[in-house]
Amino acid sequence: MSHTVVQDKLPQDPAAAIRAVVARIPAGSVASYGEIAQRAGLPRRARLVGKVLRDTPDGVRLPWHRVLRSDGRIAFAPRTAPFREQRARLIEEGVRVLSGKVDLARYGWDRNLDAALWAPPVSESSSKRSRR
DNA sequence: CAGGTGACCTCTG
DNA sequence: GCAGAGGCCACCT
């Protein structure tokens, strides 16, 4: 045994990076495939995200259900088993799913960050809401 | 090694 | 809102 250079592991496991990002999606929030790819340092590789999730065997705890298409729709075809499972999991987390679609403006991961930054004094300029 | 595939994305009409 | 078209890129046949 003297020929191997032992460079088995890739310096940047794309799959590992993707799974790491997916694992960080906060419960009750969602993110798009493209967003995951970007956060994993793999711009334009949204399809790879899909493949990684697909290849991820059952038993591996990973919040794959928090990953949606860029428009907030569940990637699976409606009425299929995986579609229903994803929808159920989301609803279980308090995420509203209407017609297989999630409101990204409300549940998006980015949105969460934004919300944190907004850190609003919560006061409506317009007295639309009759406070008090 | 060429062509097909896909848990995608974006732009047009 | 729906339908097409092109682009994208790692994998699989």
Side-chain angles (χ1 to χ4, degrees):
Chain A
M1 47 191 60
S2 55
H3 60 14
T4 54
V5 189
V6 189
Q7 232 163 345
D8 46 338
K9 287 182 67 177
L10 296 170
Q12 313 213 346
D13 269 313
I18 289 170
R19 281 191 289 263
V21 173
V22 172
R24 284 175 46 203
I25 307 175
S29 296
V30 298
S32 71
Y33 291 87
E35 187 182 338
I36 298 301
Q38 187 143 7
R39 281 179 182 265
L42 303 163
R44 293 180 209 88
R45 251 156 269 194
R47 302 193 101 132
L48 183 59
V49 174
K51 170 153 187 56
V52 170
L53 293 184
R54 176 190 247 266
D55 292 348
T56 298
D58 302 342
V60 177
R61 267 182 297 293
L62 197 66
W64 57 268
H65 58 283
R66 297 178 192 147
V67 186
L68 307 168
R69 288 187 180 167
S70 64
D71 61 356
R73 291 192 308 132
I74 288 174
F76 297 109
R79 277 190 285 282
T80 61
F83 175 94
R84 292 197 173 114
E85 184 180 351
Q86 184 165 15
R87 182 179 55 185
R89 282 178 160 219
L90 287 170
I91 292 175
E92 213 168 327
E93 288 188 354
V95 176
R96 198 172 209 176
V97 184
L98 293 165
S99 302
K101 190 164 70 182
V102 171
D103 184 357
L104 293 181
R106 179 164 181 168
Y107 299 101
W109 193 1
D110 292 355
R111 171 60 179 166
N112 261 358
L113 296 179
D114 288 344
L117 295 178
W118 275 103
V122 188
S123 50
E124 298 251 307
S125 309
S126 59
S127 49
K128 176 152 200 181
R129 208 181 290 178
S130 58
R131 82 173 182 34
R132 139 33 202 282

